[in-house]
Amino acid sequence: MYIILLIGITGAGFLWLRSYVFSDLGLAISRKIESLKLSGFNLHYDSLSVDWKRNIVQIHGVLLEKNAYDTACVYPEFISIGKVRAEGIRLLPLIFNSVLDFEELYLDSARIVIRENSLFKLDSAAKRESEFTVKTDKVFVQSAELQYTDSLHCQIITVLHSNLILEGLEMEFRIDKPFAYSAKKLILDRSQVKLPLDFYTLEIKRATIDFLGEKLAVDSIKVIPDLGKVEFGRQRGYEADRFEGVVHLVRASDFSFSILDSTRVTARLAEVQFMLKIFRDKRLPFKKVPKHLPVDMIQSLPFELAIDSLKVTRSYIQYEEFPEEASEAGKIFFDNLYAVLSNINSGADKGHAHLNAQASMMGQGNISVSVTFPLSKNKRSSMSGSIENFPLPEINPMLTPSTNIKVESGNMKKLTFNFWFNDVRSDGEIELNYEDLKLISYKEDEKAKSEDLQKDNLKTFMMNTFVFRKNMDEDVPEEKRTGTVSFVRDNNRSIFNFWAKSLLSGVKSAYNLDKAAEKKTERENKKEERTAKRLEKKLKKAEKKRDRG
């Protein structure tokens, strides 16, 4: 009997304690809301209810905003949430340790608007009234929207729509220490990222960051341009690469990500697989913007990045270009692309980064490349590689629209290259080995489709007879199969343009094409001078005849 009475008294006491604590919790939340006004924020809500029997706290119509409006923008930065629902509040941590500990937290219709150099910064230590910790096993956020705008014109830079789950969240607010947080796992589900200034939409099927297991996994990122190929460039107003495709997966192990004092991303091994198509309209004006070489680009990132090894597995990339004076675009593609980029480190100034890549060019030949990038400044990078067993007519879709030249036949048995480069120039050599090369030249004033182009018989004869060898193989002396790579970089162009033009300089050198072009220009100048002199003589004769008359 006494035991039953003791249990009853204990139970009643526990229920009274729950009621008292939850009642006090409601008052504490109200006081916290009022204290935020002193910290430069206004927090409004439509209703707050505490159900101590079901162990639930609910807040409807939450709005947190700066209490002073920007001078440039119509509205301030804010966070709004349709409904906040906290379930499974643990009493003992709250009573003894000032730890607000939930089993589950639900946020519905959350919207956040922040700007560059955001005013939404956490309360300073001097303004906080007390120390406390917030913990929750799981946070569920439905229909979240994050809007990121620029501070000067309030233009929208990025809009993120997503559903997310955050596991094992813990936030510590301390008077004498910076704000600290930790989480076990973050899951983004069916996310959409809109980039209106760049005319892109990204659709992410699922992304998971396992902070405890130090892993990143992204399943399917669709890269969707908001405009068609031609309209994309016209809206930009200048030449620009337009990307379209799918990043099938992104994975990383020993992965860490931090955004507190500074943004830092690290991983031991990262893996990516993609299918991308790139289009550029060269009929548009060219905008001169200096472009960094890869190492300088990484070292100038606004955040810390360190990846021991980045692997590209079985990917595909296509480049399509519409030349300035052409009736159609040309394209080239690489499939079965595999690559490894090692020692990526934005903070390192010693050692080397390395790139090794292999691919099938136009579905036919094999291309391999090896590049070494010194991480210290004022040192040259080196590049070597080869193209083997490539049917030369396969380059016609890119060659003909831009040059009015077509490869009728030919097989590149092997082209090897080895050169050094820095931000200014490249130097090295290439060696050619091909057979059965035949070219066709079309009249330069033709604007019809390639199949309607008229053959220039004289130029075709001259190229095949006096300029290009039909066979460039082991029977030809080595010194005649090699060319000198020497090219001055245009730093407004990409690294890939620099590499391609460097190789082209070697090919021109092997055939003395630059000297031939100089001789041709010299002959044309002399011809123009002779024509001008003859015309001058005719004019003088006509003047004398007129004077005599």
Side-chain angles (χ1 to χ4, degrees):
M1 181 70 180
Y2 290 107
I3 295 175
I4 295 174
L5 181 61
L6 181 61
I7 292 174
I9 293 172
T10 303
F14 180 74
L15 290 175
W16 174 84
L17 182 62
R18 277 177 66 94
S19 174
Y20 173 79
V21 170
F22 271 82
S23 175
D24 188 62
L25 177 61
L27 294 173
I29 292 174
S30 299
R31 286 196 298 268
K32 268 296 174 187
I33 289 172
E34 290 299 320
S35 72
L36 279 170
K37 294 181 180 179
L38 302 175
S39 305
F41 294 98
N42 287 325
L43 178 59
H44 310 280
Y45 62 93
D46 295 336
S47 64
L48 186 154
S49 62
V50 178
D51 186 342
W52 63 271
K53 293 181 180 179
R54 297 167 59 199
N55 202 355
I56 293 174
V57 174
Q58 290 191 106
I59 309 176
H60 290 81
V62 178
L63 176 63
L64 174 65
E65 63 180 359
K66 293 294 293 184
N67 60 17
Y69 280 70
D70 299 315
T71 56
C73 301
V74 176
Y75 51 82
E77 300 175 272
F78 68 86
I79 299 173
S80 67
I81 306 172
K83 181 172 69 174
V84 180
R85 178 186 174 96
E87 296 184 0
I89 302 171
R90 299 180 175 99
L91 297 182
L92 294 181
L94 180 61
I95 295 170
F96 295 105
N97 299 312
S98 296
V99 175
L100 194 56
D101 195 344
F102 306 100
E103 289 181 4
E104 293 179 345
L105 184 64
Y106 296 87
L107 308 179
D108 187 45
S109 301
R111 188 179 179 208
I112 304 174
V113 175
I114 59 174
R115 312 202 198 291
E116 291 175 304
N117 305 314
S118 175
L119 297 174
F120 256 131
K121 294 178 181 177
L122 290 165
D123 211 1
S124 67
K127 294 179 181 177
R128 283 203 290 272
E129 294 182 341
S130 61
E131 298 184 346
F132 64 97
T133 299
V134 177
K135 290 184 178 181
T136 179
D137 296 346
K138 282 190 178 182
V139 180
F140 299 90
V141 184
Q142 293 293 321
S143 305
E145 177 184 315
L146 170 63
Q147 190 180 110
Y148 181 60
T149 67
D150 81 311
S151 299
L152 185 61
H153 302 101
C154 302
Q155 288 182 303
I156 297 175
I157 299 173
T158 306
V159 180
L160 167 66
H161 295 275
S162 183
N163 303 303
L164 65 89
I165 301 172
L166 193 58
E167 298 181 5
L169 175 64
E170 181 173 341
M171 297 181 291
E172 291 190 357
F173 300 85
R174 294 287 178 264
I175 292 175
D176 58 343
K177 294 180 181 179
F179 166 73
Y181 77 94
S182 63
K184 293 180 180 178
K185 184 180 290 186
L186 171 65
I187 301 171
L188 298 174
D189 188 43
R190 299 187 301 279
S191 304
Q192 183 187 76
V193 181
K194 294 196 73 68
L195 306 168
L197 298 182
D198 296 315
F199 311 126
Y200 282 107
T201 298
L202 307 179
E203 293 182 355
I204 306 170
K205 186 176 181 181
R206 191 176 180 86
T208 303
I209 303 178
D210 185 346
F211 297 101
L212 202 60
E214 298 183 324
K215 293 180 181 179
L216 167 71
V218 182
D219 178 12
S220 178
I221 305 173
K222 289 185 179 180
V223 182
I224 307 170
D226 297 331
L227 301 171
K229 290 180 179 179
V230 176
E231 187 62 23
F232 183 91
R234 287 178 179 173
Q235 288 293 325
R236 286 285 185 93
Y238 54 89
E239 280 186 35
D241 288 332
R242 174 187 180 272
F243 294 87
E244 180 179 7
V246 180
V247 180
H248 298 290
L249 64 89
V250 179
R251 296 192 189 116
S253 58
D254 292 340
F255 174 82
S256 67
F257 173 72
S258 175
I259 57 172
L260 281 180
D261 297 328
S262 62
T263 303
R264 189 167 188 269
V265 179
T266 64
R268 180 181 58 82
L269 175 63
E271 183 180 355
V272 63
Q273 184 183 48
F274 57 81
M275 189 282 290
L276 290 177
K277 295 180 179 180
I278 306 169
F279 176 81
R280 175 175 281 248
D281 193 341
K282 296 185 72 66
R283 297 170 296 180
L284 296 169
F286 178 70
K287 185 177 181 180
K288 291 186 176 182
V289 179
K291 293 180 174 59
H292 294 300
L293 293 180
V295 170
D296 296 327
M297 191 182 301
I298 292 172
Q299 291 177 342
S300 64
L301 289 173
F303 58 91
E304 294 182 55
L305 177 66
I307 302 175
D308 292 347
S309 182
L310 171 63
K311 295 177 65 175
V312 177
T313 61
R314 200 176 181 183
S315 295
Y316 173 95
I317 189 165
Q318 173 186 289
Y319 179 76
E320 184 178 6
E321 181 178 280
F322 210 119
E324 291 183 56
E325 298 181 1
S327 58
E328 61 180 343
K331 66 180 67 173
I332 187 170
F333 66 87
F334 301 88
D335 57 2
N336 291 319
L337 171 63
Y338 293 85
V340 177
L341 180 57
S342 59
N343 198 22
I344 306 168
N345 195 326
S346 61
D349 58 3
K350 294 181 180 179
H352 296 80
H354 298 277
L355 170 65
N356 290 290
Q358 300 84 38
S360 175
M361 189 165 70
M362 303 293 283
Q364 298 287 329
N366 301 315
I367 180 169
S368 62
V369 174
S370 179
V371 190
T372 299
F373 303 98
L375 299 179
S376 54
K377 296 186 180 296
N378 303 321
K379 288 190 176 182
R380 294 197 302 172
S381 301
S382 64
M383 180 175 186
S384 62
S386 65
I387 302 173
E388 298 184 59
N389 302 319
F390 179 67
L392 291 171
E394 294 293 331
I395 65 172
N396 286 331
M398 179 62 76
L399 179 69
T400 304
S402 58
T403 65
N404 272 6
I405 294 175
K406 176 182 177 181
V407 180
E408 186 176 22
S409 67
N411 182 58
M412 179 64 71
K413 296 168 69 175
K414 191 170 186 178
L415 182 152
T416 59
F417 49 89
N418 187 11
F419 60 89
W420 294 262
F421 65 91
N422 55 20
D423 196 42
V424 178
R425 61 175 296 120
S426 59
D427 296 282
E429 66 177 19
I430 71 165
E431 182 176 340
L432 299 166
N433 189 333
Y434 63 80
E435 59 187 6
D436 194 29
L437 176 64
K438 292 181 183 179
L439 303 174
I440 296 176
S441 178
Y442 296 105
K443 294 183 178 179
E444 293 183 1
D445 58 349
E446 294 294 328
K447 300 296 181 184
K449 294 182 179 179
S450 58
E451 59 265 24
D452 300 326
L453 292 174
Q454 293 186 16
K455 182 178 178 181
D456 189 323
N457 292 310
L458 178 58
K459 282 188 177 181
T460 299
F461 172 76
M462 295 292 289
M463 283 193 307
N464 290 319
T465 306
F466 300 107
V467 180
F468 295 98
R469 289 179 178 272
K470 180 179 181 180
N471 297 299
M472 186 81 86
D473 52 26
E474 291 82 358
D475 294 333
V476 178
E478 183 177 346
E479 63 272 11
K480 294 186 177 182
R481 289 187 279 120
T482 59
T484 300
V485 172
S486 180
F487 184 75
V488 177
R489 183 185 180 228
D490 178 357
N491 66 358
N492 296 299
R493 301 285 184 179
S494 70
I495 181 65
F496 301 105
N497 177 276
F498 183 29
W499 288 345
K501 292 293 179 64
S502 297
L503 292 177
L504 183 59
S505 73
V507 174
K508 287 182 176 181
S509 171
Y511 292 102
N512 292 318
L513 293 182
D514 287 331
K515 292 181 179 180
E518 289 175 3
K519 288 181 180 179
K520 180 182 177 182
T521 302
E522 186 179 344
R523 288 196 301 269
E524 289 176 348
N525 290 337
K526 288 181 178 180
K527 183 178 179 181
E528 288 177 1
E529 288 176 4
R530 289 194 297 269
T531 303
K533 287 180 180 179
R534 286 197 297 267
L535 180 60
E536 186 178 357
K537 286 181 180 180
K538 287 182 180 180
L539 289 173
K540 286 181 179 179
K541 285 182 179 179
E543 288 176 359
K544 288 180 180 180
K545 187 176 181 180
R546 186 177 63 250
D547 292 340
R548 286 196 300 268

